[in-house]
């Protein structure tokens, strides 16, 4: 069964450093998402992406965040200058079309020191 | 904010049916009820969704009351691997592309 994959599974970085989280959505999917979950808290929406542009973003998704689909298969989330509070699990999701359901990847655990 | 209310936790014996309730008293006519679950440290997993009719798939059944103000997710024969946090989510339309707003969910513990 096709699945969303994410790399790396774990990332440790120093505060102020840039990180790039990578996702490979299911191959025929058109809509892409990033969510995050701070330890012990709810899953929170960050951003959605369709047709090579952001379609919706939350208040969390400020200027430090950016997304890109550089090569038609990968979908990346970049955090330009990480803060301690960026430590969380980051989940990528994708879906095939408007009437379909979102499939989530296994997540990347980001720890900012 | 999430528009649903769920119990914080529930227990179920292995092999028995797990019935997880959800209140969504302010649901609108064009809003669907979705259920996802999250096994520890994994990504959320879609289970089932419905508008007003009861739904069943290979994972679970969804019972929605006639007034649509509440619903119950039923796992007919719970196994240890069903231990997870279960999220009831209300969203506009059946369009999957709209964002998911997660609440705190119900922590279901299935024990031997």
């Amino acid at each position: 069964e096709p699945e969303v994959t994410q790399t790396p599974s774990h990332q440790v970085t120093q505060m102020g450093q840039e990180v790039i989280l990578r996702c490979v959505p299911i191959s025929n999917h058109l809509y892409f998402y990033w969510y995050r979950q701070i330890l012990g808290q709810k899953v929170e929406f960050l951003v959605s992406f369709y047709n090579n542009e952001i379609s919706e973003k939350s208040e969390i998704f400020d200027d430090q965040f950016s997304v890109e689909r550089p090569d038609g298969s990968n979908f990346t989330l970049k955090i330009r200058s990480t803060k301690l509070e960026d430590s969380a699990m980051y989940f990528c999701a994708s879906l095939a079309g408007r009437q379909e359901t979102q499939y989530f990847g296994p997540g990347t655990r980001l720890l900012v020191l | 904010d999430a528009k649903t209310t769920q119990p914080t936790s529930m227990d179920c014996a292995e092999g028995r049916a797990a019935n997880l309730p959800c209140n969504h008293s302010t649901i609108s006519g064009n809003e669907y009820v979705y259920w996802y679950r999250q096994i520890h440290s994994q990504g959320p997993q879609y289970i089932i969704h419905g508008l007003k009719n009861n739904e069943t798939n290979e994972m679970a059944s969804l019972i929605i009351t006639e007034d649509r103000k509440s619903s119950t997710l039923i796992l007919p024969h719970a196994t240890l691997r069903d231990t997870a946090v279960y999220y009831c989510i209300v969203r506009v339309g059946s369009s999957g592309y709209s964002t998911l707003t997660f609440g705190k969910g119900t922590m279901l513990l299935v024990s031997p």
Side-chain angles (χ1 to χ4, degrees):
Chain A
E1 183 177 326
E3 57 184 18
V4 177
T5 59
Q6 292 185 240
T7 55
S9 58
H10 295 78
Q11 174 92 44
V12 180
T13 190
Q14 295 290 324
M15 189 169 57
Q17 295 295 304
E18 174 184 287
V19 295
I20 297 176
L21 309 183
R22 291 182 168 79
C23 169
V24 179
I26 296 172
S27 63
N28 62 339
H29 283 193
L30 302 174
Y31 297 82
F32 313 108
Y33 306 80
W34 284 101
Y35 292 80
R36 79 171 187 190
Q37 185 175 33
I38 295 171
L39 186 64
Q41 298 188 23
K42 298 183 286 187
V43 177
E44 301 172 289
F45 166 73
L46 292 178
V47 65
S48 59
F49 192 85
Y50 170 70
N51 201 24
N52 283 322
E53 61 183 23
I54 291 173
S55 48
E56 188 178 355
K57 61 183 180 179
S58 72
E59 291 178 353
I60 303 168
F61 194 87
D62 61 22
D63 292 344
Q64 292 298 311
F65 291 89
S66 62
V67 289
E68 194 177 33
R69 194 146 188 262
D71 56 12
S73 61
N74 291 288
F75 179 51
T76 63
L77 174 70
K78 181 191 291 186
I79 309 174
R80 264 182 266 286
S81 177
T82 50
K83 307 182 186 73
L84 297 177
E85 55 264 37
D86 293 328
S87 296
M89 281 287 285
Y90 288 80
F91 296 108
C92 172
S94 71
L95 79 162
R98 293 167 68 94
Q99 302 302 322
E100 302 297 321
T101 58
Q102 292 184 28
Y103 290 88
F104 284 77
T108 292
R109 184 176 297 279
L110 175 67
L111 178 59
V112 182
L113 302 175
Chain B
D1 286 331
K3 298 173 64 175
T4 62
T5 304
Q6 298 178 253
T8 303
S9 63
M10 293 184 67
D11 295 326
C12 180
E14 188 179 19
R16 304 297 294 269
N19 298 282
L20 291 94
C22 179
N23 286 320
H24 30 80
S25 58
T26 60
I27 193 170
S28 302
N30 63 345
E31 289 181 317
Y32 283 65
V33 180
Y34 278 75
W35 284 83
Y36 278 75
R37 74 179 182 183
Q38 187 177 24
I39 296 170
H40 181 63
S41 295
Q42 297 183 22
Q45 177 189 23
Y46 167 79
I47 302 173
I48 199 167
H49 75 281
L51 180 63
K52 54 183 179 180
N53 297 323
N54 297 339
E55 302 288 344
T56 296
N57 63 19
E58 64 278 4
M59 288 183 70
S61 294
L62 174 60
I63 308 297
I64 302 174
T65 58
E66 195 168 338
D67 63 8
R68 302 209 323 120
K69 293 186 176 182
S70 66
S71 60
T72 301
L73 178 75
I74 301 172
L75 307 178
H77 304 288
T79 70
L80 300 179
R81 288 183 290 183
D82 291 322
T83 292
V85 179
Y86 286 77
Y87 300 101
C88 171
I89 298 170
V90 164
R91 69 198 299 190
V92 173
S94 62
S95 298
Y97 74 96
S98 59
T99 62
L100 292 167
T101 301
F102 289 84
K104 295 184 179 179
T106 296
M107 175 66 219
L108 175 68
L109 177 62
V110 181
S111 50

